[in-house]
Amino acid sequence: MRPPSPADPADSLDLGGRPLTVSEITAMVKATLEASLPMCWIVGEVSGYTHHASGHRYFTLKDEGSQLSAVIFKWQARSLAFEPEAGMQVMAYGHITVYERGGRYQLLVSQLQPAGVGELAAAFERLKNRLEAEGLFAPERKRPLPPYPRTVGIVTSPTGAAIRDVIQILRRRAPGVQLVLRPARVQGPGAAEEIAAGIADLNRLPGVDILIVGRGGGSPEDLWPFNEEIVARAIYRSARPVISAVGHEVDYTIADYVADYRAPTPSAAAEIVAQEHGQLRRHVVEHRRRLRYALGTLLGRHEQRLRDLDPERLGRRLCDRLDQLSLRVDERTRDLTRSLDWDLRSRLQAFRQAAGRLAALSPLGQLARGYCVCERPEDGLLVRRAGDLKPGDRLRLRFHQGSATTVVEETGDA
């Protein structure tokens, strides 16, 4: 069968009868493809991967039945969370276009991520090891969280469960804390870029003390934006301390390793932020209780003193005191009287006993029995021996009743 002639009007385009050039038909194919095929995700195996000196990445996506050329330009490659390798199953997001000079169609890739769980894990480990070698996970660069933050910035979805949980916990545990939400997509194409931009925006906002970056649970693919390098470096560059709160307790992302603190869930991140506030509130409540008790006790004592200082009460107390003292004086008087009476009786008895003993020893008692006391009248000395006398000495004799003076006429031994 003979091919149609270019001059055949029935089989030619309405271009004034002229034939199309190669460039023209290629441009038409390019326009038709780009207009009819929207941006989409394409799954395939990486083959012939080349990292060009210009920074662009060239590779081929293939499956059992076909293959597709793909390119990632330098400015798109900066957000790659991993370095593709031959044989790796990936998901590429982009649009189909035609490379006019080569006359072939290709996929312009704007995002690339591993396709399977195994590929995700391998990409995760490669990026983790690279960033760790750069020092992004170093413990010494981790900053302490402020104990009493006044403004908390959060980068997450405005419609997810994470933001509702954080708001509820902060309102209950730390009602004075202000929350600033920077909305961002947390899964799907462009999510990593929005999260990184949100971290940068909150750092530029004055007064923000701490950041929470995260989302609720999901599949590994859903959480993948938090494993991308652009998010890790945004957290690393943050001037404010960052709490990573991604997924559930068992989920670990690159963001968890870079952040200053890793919370197992967004709710746990809110609890961490409010922890010191809660302790402070408990201290305030306890000190308030103690202060009220101390003030109540002090006021009670002063009220009692005021009641005690009431004039009528003081008069009654004074009269009662005087009555008590009067009774006490009476008791003391009776005690003193009894004591004096007993003392006088004792002394009188002792005096009588002493007088009796004295009477028994007194020479006057001897005189009453007929004896007399002989003494010299000139000096009152007693004369006890006859040998002390000589005839003519004068003596005074004392009798039981009265005395007499005599002269010695004769002395003798018998």
Side-chain angles (χ1 to χ4, degrees):
M1 181 176 177
R2 183 178 63 86
S5 170
D8 188 349
D11 298 319
S12 63
L13 295 174
D14 188 12
L15 296 173
R18 70 176 181 83
L20 296 175
T21 65
V22 174
S23 297
E24 287 174 337
I25 192 64
T26 302
M28 293 174 65
V29 170
K30 175 180 171 69
T32 301
L33 283 176
E34 291 180 352
S36 60
L37 293 177
M39 294 188 70
C40 60
W41 286 98
I42 300 176
V43 180
E45 180 184 321
V46 175
S47 175
Y49 181 81
T50 302
H51 186 171
H52 196 270
S54 64
H56 305 326
R57 272 76 161 177
Y58 299 95
F59 58 98
T60 300
L61 286 176
K62 66 178 184 178
D63 56 19
E64 295 84 355
S66 186
Q67 62 182 19
L68 173 65
S69 296
V71 59
I72 305 176
F73 291 126
K74 177 181 179 180
W75 50 90
Q76 299 284 3
R78 292 172 183 167
S79 63
L80 279 178
F82 67 104
E83 195 70 18
E85 296 179 356
M88 179 183 292
Q89 288 287 328
V90 296
M91 294 176 58
Y93 184 78
H95 67 276
I96 299 295
T97 186
V98 174
Y99 178 52
E100 297 181 52
R101 180 174 293 277
R104 63 179 184 275
Y105 73 95
Q106 62 183 1
L107 176 67
L108 293 184
V109 180
S110 59
Q111 292 189 55
L112 191 69
Q113 66 183 44
V117 175
E119 301 294 344
L120 287 174
F124 177 90
E125 288 300 323
R126 282 192 291 270
L127 179 61
K128 176 175 174 289
N129 293 335
R130 180 160 61 84
L131 296 181
E132 185 174 15
E134 292 183 30
L136 270 68
F137 307 161
E140 57 270 15
R141 63 159 294 273
K142 306 285 185 179
R143 293 159 295 189
L145 304 182
Y148 305 111
R150 302 176 66 179
T151 302
V152 178
I154 180 168
V155 180
T156 190
S157 169
T159 59
I163 185 62
R164 294 195 298 270
D165 293 342
V166 170
I167 291 174
Q168 181 181 7
I169 290 172
L170 289 182
R171 281 179 177 174
R172 185 180 73 251
R173 298 286 304 278
V177 173
Q178 181 181 6
L179 183 65
V180 178
L181 171 64
R182 171 45 166 91
R185 286 182 292 171
V186 292
Q187 70 181 65
E193 288 76 9
E194 288 194 22
I195 294 169
I199 295 171
D201 290 344
L202 289 178
N203 270 272
R204 287 189 291 268
L205 188 65
V208 175
D209 301 310
I210 190 172
L211 304 184
I212 298 175
V213 179
R215 55 157 292 161
S219 66
E221 292 82 1
D222 293 338
L223 304 182
W224 190 255
F226 295 92
N227 289 322
E228 299 211 20
E229 185 172 355
I230 187 173
V231 174
R233 296 199 179 276
I235 294 174
Y236 180 78
R237 290 191 297 267
S238 174
R240 309 302 202 281
V242 177
I243 298 177
S244 174
V246 182
H248 300 301
E249 188 168 358
V250 296
D251 299 319
Y252 268 85
T253 64
I254 297 296
D256 294 328
Y257 291 101
V258 185
D260 298 286
Y261 196 92
R262 186 244 175 194
T265 63
S267 298
E271 295 283 355
I272 291 167
V273 169
Q275 179 178 2
E276 295 295 336
H277 285 273
Q279 292 181 1
L280 182 61
R281 290 183 66 189
R282 287 192 292 273
H283 289 322
V284 170
V285 170
E286 177 62 19
H287 287 304
R288 182 183 298 162
R289 184 190 66 79
R290 293 182 180 180
L291 183 59
R292 284 177 175 173
Y293 177 79
L295 287 176
T297 303
L298 183 62
L299 288 175
R301 287 201 299 264
H302 284 299
E303 288 176 356
Q304 185 61 43
R305 281 191 72 185
L306 287 175
R307 287 193 294 270
D308 292 343
L309 295 174
D310 179 69
E312 183 177 353
R313 185 180 179 87
L314 283 175
R316 291 196 300 269
R317 290 187 63 188
L318 181 59
C319 292
D320 181 69
R321 182 66 174 169
L322 290 175
D323 292 340
Q324 295 294 325
L325 290 175
S326 177
L327 293 174
R328 191 171 181 182
V329 168
D330 291 342
E331 290 177 357
R332 290 296 178 90
T333 301
R334 289 194 297 269
D335 293 343
L336 182 60
T337 301
R338 286 195 297 268
S339 178
L340 288 175
D341 183 64
W342 181 84
D343 187 62
L344 288 173
R345 290 176 183 275
S346 299
R347 289 177 181 274
L348 180 59
Q349 183 179 1
F351 175 75
R352 288 173 177 171
Q353 291 175 354
R357 291 194 299 272
L358 182 61
L361 297 175
S362 174
L364 297 178
Q366 300 295 331
L367 297 179
R369 291 194 294 271
Y371 295 93
C372 67
V373 177
C374 182
E375 60 182 10
R376 297 181 186 273
E378 61 271 12
D379 51 17
L381 292 177
L382 294 177
V383 178
R384 294 181 174 84
R385 295 177 301 182
D388 294 335
L389 299 174
K390 60 182 182 295
D393 289 342
R394 289 172 56 84
L395 296 174
R396 185 170 53 216
L397 303 176
R398 290 183 174 272
F399 301 97
H400 181 256
Q401 293 182 352
S403 62
T405 302
T406 184
V407 177
V408 177
E409 295 182 352
E410 182 180 0
T411 61
D413 294 334

